[in-house]
Amino acid sequence: MNASTSHDTRWLDNAILRIEADYQRSADTHLIPLRLPAFAAAGIDLYLKDESTHPTGSLKHRLARSLFLYALCNGWIREGTTIVEASSGSTAVSEAYFARLLGLPFIAVMPRSTSPEKVTQIEFHGGSCHFVERADQVYDEARALAERTGGHYMDQFTYAERATDWRGNNNIGESIFQQMARERHPVPAWIVVGAGTGGTSATIGRYARYRRHQTQVCVPDPEGSVFADYYASGDAALTAPGSRIEGIGRPRVEPSFIRELVDRMIVVPNIDSVAAMRALSALLGRKVGPSTGTNFVGMLALAQEMRDSGRQGSILSLLCDSGERYLPSYHDADWVRQNFGDVSEAQRRIDAAIAA
Ligand SMILES: *Cc1c(COP(=O)(O)O)cnc(C)c1O
């Protein structure tokens, strides 16, 4: 073994150790029971797993850790490698954190519309931001930037579904079923998760099948996303305008979205997502992000359906990130009116669904 090789090996060993030590210092995220008396009386319990409490504020903390370990063990990242990623923001925040942990430069390629708060956080973690005009331009730009810098394009949209250990190893699926163990309906009838990369729905779907649970996976898809049409047709060449709900819904069929692992899709209008985001924020006493609103729309639809058919059970979803990231946008009444129009009718519908 020559000197440079043993130096590379030492760097790699140390990089993996740093990520594992960071994990060792971390706690699992809480599972929050929602207080919805009307559904509880019908034997239906709703839960949210609070993924906003990771050190980088979203479920993408899990993904970023997995992507770094996967790329390190594959030999794709070495000392000094510039990490480049295409993102709508949350993944870039989490990857900037891990890049700094390893002393690596990080560049996020994102649509210009990305929340300024996410840009601030990427820069806070030592990363830099590179903007494109449209969401469908992030992929080519990230790949080209990685080539120009001699860096590594992380490519979450391809690798999310395979970088996570789907059989367990404390993945989100294993954690969910453990945390539900003492509830009155410990095996959820439904787990509801929006799809950005599709990695979370794939991991949960695989894990549930592997453990032979009866749980079904429902993906609520925001209007403008391609996933619902792809789910119906199976045509991976489809494209769409793209989503207006940050973090979920895509303009192209992402390789990590595994259609066969999804039992049901529900198309969610943007105003419903915003109205549900507000209603849920009021219910919890703290603000949630818009993709969590989309999840809540899906949960309420399934809960109503279960009640109507006399079925009891639990429904679980994710609090993907906190609303603090979206105070000047989705949580600002003027911004919402300008971007989505009048939400009041949707608000009445969601409030009625919660109360009924
Ligand atoms: C990425 C993301 C999702 C969707 O998760 P995937 O595993 O990528 O499908 C949902 N909400 C937010 C805020 C996200 O950043």
Side-chain angles (χ1 to χ4, degrees), residues 76-255:
W76 296 342
I77 298 176
R78 292 157 195 272
E79 185 174 11
T81 301
T82 297
I83 309 298
V84 184
E85 182 65 294
S87 178
S88 71
S90 300
T91 304
V93 175
S94 300
E95 287 179 351
Y97 171 95
F98 284 101
R100 180 150 79 179
L101 192 69
L102 306 186
L104 303 173
F106 178 77
I107 308 171
V109 178
M110 301 183 295
R112 201 171 292 283
S113 61
T114 304
S115 291
E117 181 60 26
K118 291 183 189 168
V119 174
T120 305
Q121 287 181 36
I122 292 161
E123 288 168 354
F124 171 78
H125 290 298
S128 55
C129 300
H130 181 95
F131 295 104
V132 294
E133 295 310 318
R134 297 191 323 266
D136 63 355
Q137 295 171 323
V138 290
Y139 317 99
D140 288 345
E141 188 64 22
R143 193 181 304 281
L145 200 57
E147 262 166 39
R148 283 207 297 282
T149 58
H152 174 63
Y153 170 32
M154 200 69 116
D155 195 358
Q156 59 166 332
F157 294 105
T158 297
Y159 294 106
E161 61 89 7
R162 69 192 81 163
T164 302
D165 295 337
W166 56 272
R167 293 179 198 82
N169 188 14
N170 202 28
N171 74 30
I172 191 168
E174 186 173 41
S175 168
I176 285 170
F177 286 99
Q178 271 170 11
Q179 289 180 318
M180 286 293 290
R182 309 233 193 292
E183 303 306 303
R184 68 168 166 169
H185 305 296
V187 175
W190 289 100
I191 295 179
V192 180
V193 282
T197 63
T200 306
S201 52
T203 299
I204 291 172
R206 282 188 191 129
Y207 184 81
R209 287 181 188 182
Y210 176 59
R211 305 300 294 193
R212 303 183 307 283
H213 292 307
Q214 295 303 304
T215 305
Q216 292 189 284
V217 174
C218 171
V219 171
D221 203 32
E223 65 177 281
S225 167
V226 78
F227 287 138
D229 286 343
Y230 167 62
Y231 184 72
S233 72
D235 180 0
L238 285 175
T239 58
S243 157
R244 307 277 316 271
I245 302 296
E246 269 186 55
I248 55 169
R250 299 298 305 166
R252 70 166 200 192
V253 177
E254 302 297 351

Side-chain angles (χ1 to χ4, degrees), residues 220-297:
D221 203 32
E223 65 177 281
S225 167
V226 78
F227 287 138
D229 286 343
Y230 167 62
Y231 184 72
S233 72
D235 180 0
L238 285 175
T239 58
S243 157
R244 307 277 316 271
I245 302 296
E246 269 186 55
I248 55 169
R250 299 298 305 166
R252 70 166 200 192
V253 177
E254 302 297 351
S256 275
F257 179 79
I258 312 294
R259 178 172 169 259
E260 294 81 1
L261 289 167
V262 177
D263 297 290
R264 173 106 169 247
M265 291 201 73
I266 298 175
V267 176
V268 179
N270 292 331
I271 52 167
D272 288 28
S273 292
V274 173
M277 175 196 79
R278 287 181 185 167
L280 185 57
S281 299
L283 200 64
L284 294 172
R286 66 191 179 91
K287 292 185 167 65
V288 302
S291 74
T292 306
T294 311
N295 284 346
F296 193 42
V297 174

